[in-house]
Amino acid sequence: MTVIEAARALGKVVQADERYKEYIGAKKANDDDAELQRLIGEFNLVRQNLAMESDKEPDEIDNEKVRELTAKMHTAYDAVMQNENMALFTAAKQGMDKLMSEINTILTYSVEGADPDTCPSEPPQAACGGSCEGCSGCG
């Protein structure tokens, strides 16, 4: 079996995993939720308006309009995130992201010469120095 053949086989196994099925189901529910799509459209419109106002020359920016649009954007975001289908999708996506992270970690360790059967599936935890500047995230 070639590496590409193994990757294709892995793809089939991923698609058979419950986390993948939950993710795909939640994504479809989001796509089919007309109210959620309306809320997302509203959020995107406000975000675009805010970006247009913020992209103006500094002396042309209407700071009151920026504050107003920022507040509207936060309200629109909260409405999107409070939607039941979005909450289910977010949880399903986190499960899928964790699965993909585990797969990537095993592959990375393997490429570095570790035994694929015994290497960790969780990425090593980086020590936090307290400053987020230049950090790639806390995981």
Side-chain angles (χ1 to χ4, degrees), residues 15 24-25 27 29-30 39 43 51-52 54 65-66 69 76-77 79 81 90-91 94 97 103 108 112-113 118 130 136:
Q15 289 180 341
I24 293 301
K27 185 176 182 314
N30 270 6
L39 292 170
F43 169 79
M52 286 179 7
S54 298
K65 186 173 184 180
V66 168
L69 289 169
Y77 178 81
M81 297 311 290
T90 300
Q94 288 172 345
D97 288 347
I103 291 168
T108 299
E112 293 172 354
T118 60
S136 62

Side-chain angles (χ1 to χ4, degrees), residues 3-67:
V3 172
I4 299 302
E5 290 169 337
R8 292 184 191 285
L10 176 59
K12 290 176 185 175
V13 173
V14 167
Q15 289 180 341
D17 189 276
E18 278 306 309
R19 290 165 285 194
Y20 173 81
K21 292 174 184 176
E22 287 175 18
Y23 170 75
I24 293 301
K27 185 176 182 314
K28 180 172 179 3
N30 270 6
D31 292 345
D32 293 345
D33 185 334
E35 175 63 11
L36 177 58
Q37 294 306 312
R38 185 192 68 73
L39 292 170
I40 291 170
E42 184 178 303
F43 169 79
N44 285 332
L45 181 61
V46 173
R47 186 179 58 165
Q48 286 174 336
N49 289 335
L50 177 59
M52 286 179 7
E53 185 64 32
S54 298
D55 286 345
K56 291 180 179 177
E57 293 298 321
D59 59 332
E60 296 175 5
I61 294 176
D62 181 342
N63 290 321
E64 182 57 37
K65 186 173 184 180
V66 168
R67 279 190 288 278

Side-chain angles (χ1 to χ4, degrees), residues 90-130:
T90 300
K93 184 173 182 331
Q94 288 172 345
M96 198 63 218
D97 288 347
K98 184 176 184 317
L99 174 63
M100 294 306 297
S101 175
E102 291 173 0
I103 291 168
N104 188 51
T105 298
I106 292 169
L107 292 175
T108 299
Y109 274 112
S110 298
V111 168
E112 293 172 354
D115 181 350
D117 290 328
T118 60
C119 68
S121 62
E122 296 288 326
Q125 294 296 318
C128 181

